[in-house]
Amino acid sequence: MKILLTFVVAILFSISAQAIAPIKEIIIEGNERIETETVLNYLDIEKGKVVPQSQINENLRTLFDSNYFADVNIKQVDDVLLVSVVENPSINRVVFEGNDAVSDKVLESEVKLSPRMILTRDKVQKEVQRILAIYRAKGHFGAKVKPEIIRKSQNRADVIFDISEGPAAEIRKINFVGNKKFADDKLKSILLTAESAWWKFFSSNDVYDPDRLEVDRDNLRKFYLGKGYADFRVISAVAELVPTQDAFIITFTVEEGKRYKFGNVTIETDFEKLKNIDFKASLASKEGDWYSANSVERDTEKIADIAGDYGYAFVNVRPIPVRTEGNQTIGIKYNIEEGPKVYINHIKINGNTRTVDTVIRRQFRVAEGDAFSSTKLKASDRRIQNLGFFKTVDIKQEAVDGAPDKVDVLTEVKEQSTGEINFSVGYSSLDGPLGSISLKERNLFGRAYALGLGAQIAKKSKNFNISLADPYFLNKDLEVGAGISRGFRDQESESSYKHESMGGRVWMAYALAEHWGQRWTYSLTQDKIAGVKANASPVVREQAGTSVSSIISHGLVYDRRDLKYSPTEGYVLSLNNHFAGVGGDVKYQSHSISGAVYYTPIDDVTASLDTEFSIISAFSDHKLRIIDKFTLGGSGLRGYEYSGISPRQKTGTEDAIGGDRSFTVSGEVTFPLGLPNEVGLRGSVFVDAGTTWDSKLKDDGYYNNKGLRVAPGFGLGWSTPMGLIRLDFGFPVVTQTGDKEQKILLNFGTGRF
């Protein structure tokens, strides 16, 4: 027993002696890609000193934390410290499999792993969570990601993310609780989020997105505040995932509160020069009208603009609401106060990887060195957003160190695609079956050049065109453009001829003042009238052949509509003049004046009235071409054939030869049909009236009645992702001899809806 005890003690003494021996040499083994010096730099061990076990453990942790190594072992043998490492592989490539809803490009931009990086399992797991977050944002809450690591030679590895996307979680139902003044359908139309339906195959708003839900809370609040419900609040917005994890039911709980009207509206200021100005005449906030937070915001900006016009650039306009609960009114007291004198130091722009700075800077209503104006910055923000080049625009100011009277204006933009390619097929009552393709690029070369290419092919017509425009020619607020076109139209059924044309045009357009626009165009076109029937009207037969027109056109417009393409309020007036005869074979002048007014007395019900009068006359002994004269019908005057209203030959082919005077007037009311707004169907009732005649036509062999034609009717419009489908039923009640009626009009992608 004593001998055994003596042996154990000797061994322990020997081990202890080895452990406390000073380190004379450090050997690194197992490293292939990592330099030995790199490993030594991570070690906090000095030769010639004793290294306790606690220090070895600390160095182990340091080497693991470097992420270079999958395994590390450190041990001391006599006076040698042996460090054995197993390197983590480097990434050879990152591959995504099974992804369809999210492209490789999007995943590559979000995932942080890339070739030549050191691969660790922690990094892979973080990227798995990142990919799942991307899919949740796309509505794929059942998505699964399985990472695979495939070892390659030279300690490299492929990282493969095998993705099982699962179905996108649609919005099955949107419910509202607490709404009494507005129906569910009306509130749904306010939201970006929409219920799923079979026809929404081009939409992504019916897929659950929590960020979009937050925007919708704000949209509801703005809507109610704009309608006078100053106490409105969204109590909750809950998205409930159904057990199958493929759909959400969203419930908004709201508290509408009372509706208020505007009370007394006053403007107060200490500036003597501003006390005598009648601000109220320019304000939208009127006593007795329903209260609207939107009107208050606009009036705040308007007052600041007026004060600026009188030389007060540094003012703060503070609207102070004054409630009177008894009669449910909110008076507004606008205080015009002196603000700090602050100037713009630098305007900085970030995020525009494609669009050049100049395109953005010219939209600013302020320049470096100008007085700071929040109103003008808001206007600049709107102008930049209206370019349509950016998903988001964020303008904010930043203090300048050491200069309390200066600020830098920081503009952050996020670019989006500006190219469009559109295909459509359909049917037109005028042209028969048709197909078209158009290609547009609104930001060519990142300089806001607009390029357009188009082709339309139908049974009775063919058109091809190309155009290029610079909206800020020579960095001026001046649009300059040019285009060429080639066209063909079969007019045999209406006027016994075929028309071919080829030509080009150049134009310039600019703003004369707010709401005023002017445009000048020069066009040079070669026209050919061919295929004239033997029994055609003498007017048509004598025009067979080729002619060249050289035309200068002028347009002047005064536009006070709320929206350009689907107006609901306001009016627009325009004057157009054409002078043919600066060269070419054709000599005439043509003038037209038109106007339209829009009014929405009830939500989603819009009434419009538009009218136009046109006149054309030839110079000296020249005759007007049939292709330049006026005819009515089709979408221009529903209830009649295209060219169904026109001076025409009484016998034979009864060709429409056109008039030199034209007048139209149309009243229309459009309204919803009680279907969800996402369906895109609206109804309308209308009354169209008009006439055209030839003031020079004396021959008794022609119908040439200037009497008014009238056709009431109704229509349906369906706004689809592929274009507008319009079906109109017109019923002529006042006609003249020789008119050609057509009670049904179908158009795809055209019309007046």
Side-chain angles (χ1 to χ4, degrees):
M1 188 67 180
K2 289 182 179 180
I3 295 173
L4 179 60
L5 182 59
T6 302
F7 179 72
V8 171
V9 170
I11 291 175
L12 291 173
F13 179 80
S14 173
I15 294 172
S16 176
Q18 289 180 10
I20 62 175
I23 299 299
K24 292 184 178 180
E25 186 179 4
I26 301 175
I27 297 176
I28 310 297
E29 63 179 15
N31 56 313
E32 299 177 4
R33 189 179 64 258
I34 309 300
E35 297 289 339
T36 298
E37 286 299 320
T38 301
V39 181
L40 291 172
N41 287 336
Y42 277 99
L43 296 175
D44 184 21
I45 295 175
E46 296 182 27
K47 293 180 181 180
K49 291 187 177 182
V50 174
V51 182
Q53 186 62 43
S54 60
Q55 188 175 355
I56 290 176
N57 292 341
E58 187 64 33
N59 279 273
L60 277 170
R61 281 193 292 271
T62 301
L63 288 173
F64 273 115
D65 290 344
S66 71
N67 285 330
Y68 284 129
F69 309 109
D71 192 19
V72 180
N73 184 40
I74 302 177
K75 65 180 179 178
Q76 182 176 342
V77 181
D78 296 329
D79 56 0
V80 176
L81 189 70
L82 183 61
V83 181
S84 300
V85 298
V86 176
E87 293 179 349
N88 277 321
S90 63
I91 297 174
N92 179 53
R93 63 181 182 139
V94 179
V95 179
F96 304 99
E97 294 183 350
N99 57 306
D100 183 44
V102 183
S103 67
D104 283 2
K105 186 177 180 179
V106 171
L107 292 173
E108 288 166 0
S109 67
E110 295 292 338
V111 168
K112 305 304 180 185
L113 295 182
S114 60
R116 295 185 294 278
M117 287 180 61
I118 300 300
L119 177 64
T120 67
R121 293 193 176 275
D122 285 344
K123 289 181 181 178
V124 172
Q125 289 305 315
K126 286 180 180 178
E127 298 311 320
V128 167
Q129 296 304 314
R130 199 187 309 275
I131 294 172
L132 288 174
I134 294 171
Y135 272 92
R136 282 194 291 272
K138 289 282 188 180
H140 292 262
F141 285 81
K144 297 178 182 179
V145 180
K146 179 182 178 182
E148 297 182 21
I149 298 174
I150 300 178
R151 296 279 182 166
K152 311 289 285 187
S153 61
Q154 299 177 342
N155 200 24
R156 296 173 301 131
D158 289 343
V159 182
I160 299 175
F161 293 101
D162 188 5
I163 302 170
S164 176
E165 295 181 327
E170 62 184 21
I171 307 299
R172 184 165 295 173
K173 183 68 176 175
I174 299 176
N175 299 316
F176 294 91
V177 177
N179 56 311
K180 299 177 181 178
K181 302 300 181 181
F182 297 97
D184 286 9
D185 286 344
K186 177 59 182 177
L187 297 183
K188 288 176 186 178
S189 70
I190 306 300
L191 306 179
L192 289 178
T193 305
E195 292 176 345
S196 297
W198 65 267
W199 62 82
K200 297 179 182 176
F201 38 82
F202 286 102
S203 173
S204 62
N205 286 357
D206 59 346
V207 174
Y208 174 68
D209 183 340
D211 293 334
R212 189 184 297 132
L213 203 62
E214 287 302 311
V215 173
D216 284 336
R217 292 175 67 113
D218 193 48
N219 287 341
L220 286 171
R221 186 184 65 83
K222 289 179 179 178
F223 171 74
Y224 269 93
L225 288 178
K227 296 296 183 181
Y229 294 88
D231 299 325
F232 173 82
R233 64 192 184 103
V234 179
I235 297 173
S236 64
V238 178
E240 180 184 359
L241 187 63
V242 301
T244 55
Q245 294 192 328
D246 62 348
F248 276 91
I249 297 174
I250 296 176
T251 303
F252 290 94
T253 302
V254 303
E255 184 179 297
E256 293 179 324
K258 300 176 181 178
R259 191 179 189 188
Y260 292 82
K261 289 187 175 183
F262 277 114
N264 190 26
V265 178
T266 60
I267 292 95
E268 295 186 0
T269 179
D270 292 331
F271 298 111
E272 292 295 331
K273 194 175 179 180
L274 298 180
K275 288 183 178 180
N276 296 324
I277 298 174
D278 184 12
F279 286 97
K280 283 190 176 183
S282 303
L283 302 185
S285 309
K286 305 291 185 183
E287 185 174 353
D289 289 350
W290 289 114
Y291 172 80
S292 170
N294 299 330
S295 296
V296 173
E297 183 178 351
R298 288 194 298 269
D299 287 345
T300 301
E301 296 179 4
K302 185 66 177 178
I303 293 170
D305 285 343
I306 295 173
D309 292 340
Y310 281 85
Y312 293 89
F314 303 102
V315 296
N316 286 331
V317 180
R318 189 161 54 95
I320 302 173
V322 181
R323 294 196 184 204
T324 304
E325 295 293 343
N327 55 9
Q328 290 181 214
T329 62
I330 299 179
I332 304 295
K333 181 170 65 176
Y334 294 98
N335 272 355
I336 307 175
E337 305 168 343
E338 185 174 7
K341 294 184 178 181
V342 179
Y343 298 88
I344 295 175
N345 183 45
H346 293 299
I347 296 176
K348 301 177 181 179
I349 300 172
N350 296 317
N352 53 318
T353 55
R354 180 186 179 204
T355 306
V356 298
D357 277 13
T358 305
V359 171
I360 302 172
R361 288 184 181 276
R362 65 196 181 197
Q363 302 304 321
F364 275 91
R365 300 294 85 187
V366 292
E368 293 172 346
D370 285 356
F372 178 82
S373 169
S374 59
T375 302
K376 291 182 178 179
L377 283 183
K378 287 180 182 178
S380 302
D381 186 291
R382 287 193 297 267
R383 287 171 59 87
I384 295 172
Q385 292 193 54
N386 286 339
L387 288 172
F389 302 162
F390 309 107
K391 287 182 180 178
T392 58
V393 178
D394 183 19
I395 298 180
K396 52 191 174 183
Q397 60 267 16
E398 184 179 73
V400 178
D401 292 339
D405 62 338
K406 294 182 179 180
V407 293
D408 286 337
V409 174
L410 307 180
T411 305
E412 292 283 347
V413 299
K414 186 175 182 181
E415 294 194 300
Q416 65 181 358
S417 173
T418 55
E420 300 175 14
I421 183 167
N422 294 306
F423 301 89
S424 68
V425 294
Y427 179 85
S428 166
S429 298
L430 168 61
D431 295 315
L434 59 86
S436 68
I437 177 174
S438 65
L439 174 66
K440 296 180 181 179
E441 172 53 63
R442 295 175 287 112
N443 191 19
L444 189 65
F445 308 130
R447 296 184 175 275
Y449 301 147
L451 173 67
L453 299 168
Q456 184 183 63
I457 300 175
K459 181 180 179 180
K460 297 182 65 175
S461 67
K462 296 179 180 63
N463 289 287
F464 308 92
N465 62 78
I466 179 172
S467 63
L468 179 66
D470 180 359
Y472 277 84
F473 185 64
L474 299 178
N475 285 325
K476 305 293 184 182
D477 194 1
L478 172 69
E479 178 184 329
V480 173
I484 57 174
S485 61
R486 179 84 169 89
F488 166 82
R489 178 171 289 280
D490 185 347
Q491 298 282 120
E492 286 188 324
S493 61
E494 298 90 2
S495 303
S496 302
Y497 69 89
K498 296 179 180 179
H499 175 214
E500 298 179 28
S501 66
M502 180 174 62
R505 67 193 186 282
V506 294
W507 71 87
M508 65 176 181
Y510 48 86
L512 289 172
E514 187 177 8
H515 308 302
W516 284 97
Q518 192 167 35
R519 187 182 188 93
W520 294 91
T521 305
Y522 172 74
S523 60
L524 182 66
T525 308
Q526 177 179 282
D527 296 282
K528 182 180 180 181
I529 294 179
V532 177
K533 295 179 180 178
N535 60 342
S537 166
V539 176
V540 177
R541 291 201 305 270
E542 69 182 11
Q543 294 192 24
T546 301
S547 60
V548 175
S549 60
S550 175
I551 304 173
I552 294 177
S553 302
H554 165 261
L556 184 66
V557 62
Y558 181 65
D559 194 345
R560 296 301 302 265
R561 294 173 295 179
D562 57 346
L563 299 170
K564 185 176 181 180
Y565 296 107
S566 299
T568 60
E569 297 284 350
Y571 60 92
V572 59
L573 301 171
S574 62
L575 171 70
N576 290 283
N577 315 101
H578 306 278
F579 300 91
V582 187
D585 309 318
V586 183
K587 312 287 183 182
Y588 71 81
Q589 59 176 327
S590 173
H591 311 279
S592 67
I593 184 169
S594 62
V597 61
Y598 304 88
Y599 178 56
T600 302
I602 306 173
D603 286 341
D604 288 339
V605 177
T606 299
S608 65
L609 179 68
D610 61 85
T611 184
E612 181 176 11
F613 176 72
S614 302
I615 182 172
I616 185 172
S617 59
F619 289 129
S620 62
D621 58 347
H622 288 267
K623 290 186 177 181
L624 291 172
R625 298 182 302 178
I626 190 173
I627 58 177
D628 296 321
K629 297 172 76 174
F630 309 126
T631 63
L632 293 177
S635 59
L637 205 161
R638 291 162 287 190
Y640 296 87
E641 289 183 6
Y642 176 77
S643 296
I645 299 175
S646 167
R648 66 178 65 249
Q649 183 176 280
K650 288 183 177 180
T651 58
T653 56
E654 295 191 350
D655 294 330
I657 60 174
D660 61 2
R661 304 289 188 270
S662 174
F663 171 74
T664 60
V665 61
S666 176
E668 184 165 18
V669 177
T670 64
F671 48 85
L673 295 174
L675 300 172
N677 286 347
E678 311 90 73
V679 178
L681 275 174
R682 288 178 66 85
S684 70
V685 292
F686 61 84
V687 177
D688 286 357
T691 184
T692 181
W693 71 96
D694 192 327
S695 63
K696 305 290 192 303
L697 192 63
K698 305 298 183 183
D699 193 328
D700 291 337
Y702 295 90
Y703 298 115
N704 185 30
N705 196 315
K706 65 174 68 173
L708 202 65
R709 283 76 159 177
V710 180
F714 63 90
L716 290 173
W718 184 22
S719 180
T720 74
M722 296 297 290
L724 175 68
I725 298 176
R726 175 82 198 219
L727 179 63
D728 286 308
F729 299 86
F731 305 95
V733 293
V734 178
T735 63
Q736 304 297 335
T737 306
D739 293 347
K740 306 292 184 181
E741 298 182 9
Q742 180 176 288
K743 294 181 173 61
I744 300 176
L745 177 69
L746 173 65
N747 279 313
F748 185 99
T750 59
R752 300 155 28 137
F753 198 77

